[in-house]
Amino acid sequence: MRNTNNNHNSEEDQRKKESTIASLDSRFNQTLRNVQGLLKGRSIPGKILLTRRLDPLDESSSQERSPEYIRSFSENEAGSSDRMAKAVEEEVQSTGKSNNNTNANKLKTSNLDIENTSKEVQKSTMGARATDSARVMKFTKVLSGTTVILEKLRELAWSGIPDYMRPDVWRLLLGYAPPNSDRKEGILRRKRLEYLDCVSQYYDIPDTERSDDEINMLRQIAVDCPRTVPDVSFFQQLQVQKSLERILYTWAIRHPASGYVQGINDLATPFLVVFLSEHLEGGVDNWSISDLSPEKVSNMEADCYWCLSKLLEGMQDHYTFAQPGIQRLVFKLKELVRRIDEPVSRHMEEQGLEFLQFAFRWFNCLLIREMPFHLVTRLWDTYLAEGDALPDFLVYIFASFLLTWSDKLQKLDFQELVMFLQHLPTQNWTHQELEMVLSRAFMWHSMFNNSPSHLAS
């Protein structure tokens, strides 16, 4: 009798298991179909890099760069179907580490589906990941219209913008410049004059006309500006720091709900470099802002000010009292990492490491302090292409960034974890590593974002 009951229970358990796997397979197949549709250009990046680096990203790899990644970017884009298929399968296998984790199981059981559909995914991906010259032609076509179709521009921008087009594209993506080309010059002229008026009214006045809070805020900004991106010599120029000070102080006075918060100084730097690139040639380290006329400097500052304002409009609660928006996203990041890589999550919890101890700065400065500065503008192409959805997508980018070092993190104790996460070995990163982070983020977003309880405890 006992054997009969055991057999019955075993059969019932097997049926439940098969039913669960079938359900997961069905959900994952739907995700793959969604990804394929997105890759065909409906609303995602023009190119997604899903290649895995052969040497591990640890301290040793930060000291010596693999020759594989010195190739031109167009060669990176070319890829091969076999390599892409292998990379997708490796990525899914490396992600599904815990047998007890539902989402990890979903990833593991999907390997066969990926093998069956990888060729179709490859085809659509390779069609979207065109050569550099073809991408430039696509951007040119979108930008040359009387009215720019912003959705198409976002699709292209997600996977990177040609350097010389970046200033115009960023203005459009942020809603600072209008999509109607006939109105562009008039609106930019008016907004730049408005910025000049604000500087005259709020900044170019003696301290006797400021409140004590305003004096203290200006002093804090003046202290922070020389500390901004200290490893890039360009930002040590006095005139650059004064421009940054004017932008930040004017923004803070015009936005009293938050005022100036440390970290906003970092957020202004990509705009400053991009809008200066319209007037200065060569590498950033060779630039001198003193080579520019006062009018060009003023226009650059105005563009930085308005684009910073547009960016922060979508993240207002990140910088108000107690910064609740950031705290909320840090919690989501913790939950997402637990779903994707349960062993890492469990180890960090056992060591007593709180995500707020390292991830708060990531959300506060949008990874500017964690990345080599030459990669920041590329990263921000994707940020700005996400538009209003950026805050939620940051959670996936930061999860992908953290889990780059999944194996390494599981070997460290509390003190070592803190030190490692505060000084991540990214100094020798190239576009290859950054594209890998963004690709994983997109993949996980596609898998988890429509699941109603994927970030619920």
Side-chain angles (χ1 to χ4, degrees):
M1 178 68 76
R2 181 177 297 175
N3 289 337
T4 303
N5 288 338
N6 287 340
N7 289 338
H8 178 73
N9 291 337
S10 176
E11 291 174 3
E12 185 176 351
D13 290 343
Q14 183 65 27
R15 281 198 300 272
K16 287 182 179 179
K17 185 176 180 180
E18 291 174 355
S19 175
T20 300
I21 292 175
S23 175
L24 292 175
D25 285 347
S26 175
R27 289 173 62 189
F28 193 84
N29 284 334
Q30 182 59 50
T31 297
L32 278 177
R33 284 193 291 272
N34 291 343
V35 172
Q36 290 168 31
L38 291 169
L39 287 173
K40 288 171 184 173
R42 208 166 57 230
S43 61
I44 176 166
K47 65 184 176 204
I48 299 183
L49 184 65
L50 283 173
T51 53
R52 176 180 291 280
R53 193 182 166 116
L54 298 178
D55 48 322
L57 285 173
D58 55 15
E59 292 95 330
S60 60
S61 69
S62 71
Q63 298 299 322
E64 184 174 355
R65 203 177 295 175
S66 169
E68 163 106 5
Y69 299 99
I70 305 177
R71 300 177 304 171
S72 71
F73 203 39
S74 59
E75 288 175 356
N76 290 337
E77 288 181 10
S80 70
S81 295
D82 292 340
R83 185 178 68 190
M84 181 84 71
K86 183 179 178 182
V88 173
E89 182 173 354
E90 285 178 350
E91 195 60 48
V92 173
Q93 289 175 336
S94 67
T95 307
K97 291 188 175 182
S98 171
N99 289 328
N100 298 323
N101 183 280
T102 302
N103 286 316
N105 281 335
K106 175 168 60 176
L107 295 177
K108 283 185 173 181
T109 58
S110 67
N111 288 345
L112 183 59
D113 296 309
I114 286 183
E115 290 173 3
N116 293 336
T117 58
S118 61
K119 289 185 178 180
E120 186 176 348
V121 175
Q122 302 302 314
K123 201 171 181 181
S124 59
T125 306
M126 294 305 294
R129 291 169 55 211
T131 62
D132 284 346
S133 59
R135 284 180 53 73
V136 168
M137 288 178 64
K138 289 181 180 179
F139 272 104
T140 301
K141 182 178 180 180
V142 171
L143 293 172
S144 62
T146 305
T147 301
V148 175
I149 300 174
L150 293 178
E151 191 57 36
K152 289 184 178 179
L153 187 61
R154 291 188 190 283
E155 291 173 15
L156 287 172
W158 202 100
S159 54
I161 304 168
D163 289 345
Y164 71 95
M165 294 183 174
R166 189 170 277 127
D168 285 333
V169 174
W170 279 21
R171 291 186 190 104
L172 286 163
L173 292 178
L174 285 161
Y176 169 47
N180 187 323
S181 59
D182 294 338
R183 300 173 56 227
K184 175 183 172 182
E185 290 304 320
I187 286 180
L188 291 184
R189 190 183 311 111
R190 177 173 59 82
K191 300 297 278 185
R192 288 165 177 171
L193 287 174
E194 187 178 338
Y195 170 76
L196 276 179
D197 289 340
C198 290
V199 170
S200 176
Q201 182 178 351
Y202 302 123
Y203 183 83
D204 294 332
I205 59 175
D207 281 353
T208 53
E209 297 183 24
R210 306 185 206 273
S211 68
D212 289 343
D213 287 343
E214 290 170 351
I215 291 174
N216 291 333
M217 184 166 63
L218 181 56
R219 286 176 180 167
Q220 183 61 60
I221 292 172
V223 168
D224 286 347
C225 285
R227 300 172 178 171
T228 305
V229 199
D231 54 336
V232 177
S233 59
F234 169 73
F235 288 102
Q236 304 312 306
Q237 296 178 28
L238 184 59
Q239 281 183 278
V240 174
Q241 293 174 7
K242 277 297 179 184
S243 286
L244 191 56
E245 185 178 299
R246 277 190 292 270
I247 294 165
L248 295 172
Y249 183 76
T250 304
W251 183 88
I253 292 295
R254 291 283 300 269
H255 297 81
S258 64
Y260 173 72
V261 176
Q262 285 179 305
I264 296 179
N265 55 314
D266 292 277
L267 304 188
T269 56
F271 295 124
L272 199 149
V273 167
V274 165
F275 295 130
L276 276 173
S277 71
E278 293 183 290
H279 311 294
L280 298 171
E281 297 180 352
V284 174
D285 287 332
N286 298 320
W287 287 358
S288 175
I289 200 171
S290 60
D291 294 340
L292 301 181
S293 67
E295 181 184 6
K296 287 181 178 178
V297 172
S298 175
N299 289 345
M300 176 275 297
E301 287 184 19
D303 291 356
C304 290
Y305 168 82
W306 288 112
C307 286
L308 178 66
S309 300
K310 293 286 188 180
L311 174 71
L312 294 179
E313 278 178 11
M315 299 186 281
Q316 290 184 21
D317 59 352
H318 287 210
Y319 301 98
T320 53
F321 178 73
Q323 298 177 257
I326 290 181
Q327 295 198 50
R328 183 178 66 253
L329 292 180
V330 169
F331 172 77
K332 287 186 176 182
L333 174 62
K334 180 179 179 179
E335 287 298 300
L336 183 60
V337 170
R338 183 170 66 86
R339 304 288 185 194
I340 293 171
D341 197 331
E342 196 270 340
V344 166
S345 175
R346 183 175 64 249
H347 177 73
M348 293 171 70
E349 187 172 344
E350 289 172 350
Q351 293 300 317
L353 181 68
E354 293 293 336
F355 274 63
L356 275 171
Q357 291 175 277
F358 62 91
F360 188 91
R361 186 174 80 177
W362 296 5
F363 284 104
N364 196 49
C365 304
L366 301 188
L367 286 189
I368 286 179
R369 298 187 187 181
E370 325 308 321
M371 288 278 185
F373 194 75
H374 72 275
L375 295 179
V376 167
T377 50
R378 165 63 193 95
L379 175 62
W380 278 48
D381 290 342
T382 297
Y383 283 173
L384 302 189
E386 281 293 317
D388 294 338
L390 173 60
D392 286 331
F393 193 67
L394 288 175
V395 175
Y396 294 90
I397 293 179
F398 295 175
S400 177
F401 184 64
L402 175 67
L403 294 178
T404 299
W405 299 279
S406 173
D407 294 337
K408 171 80 173 178
L409 295 173
Q410 295 178 59
K411 300 173 184 176
L412 304 178
D413 62 23
F414 173 80
Q415 190 65 35
E416 292 168 335
L417 281 168
V418 171
M419 294 300 295
F420 182 76
L421 291 169
Q422 287 180 350
H423 303 91
L424 290 166
T426 60
Q427 61 268 31
N428 287 335
W429 270 28
T430 66
H431 284 272
Q432 193 88 7
E433 288 82 13
L434 177 57
E435 297 291 344
M436 189 71 237
V437 168
L438 295 175
S439 299
R440 279 195 303 261
F442 168 70
M443 180 177 68
W444 292 337
H445 182 268
S446 300
M447 289 177 176
F448 300 135
N449 195 52
N450 293 325
S451 177
S453 60
H454 76 295
L455 291 181
S457 294

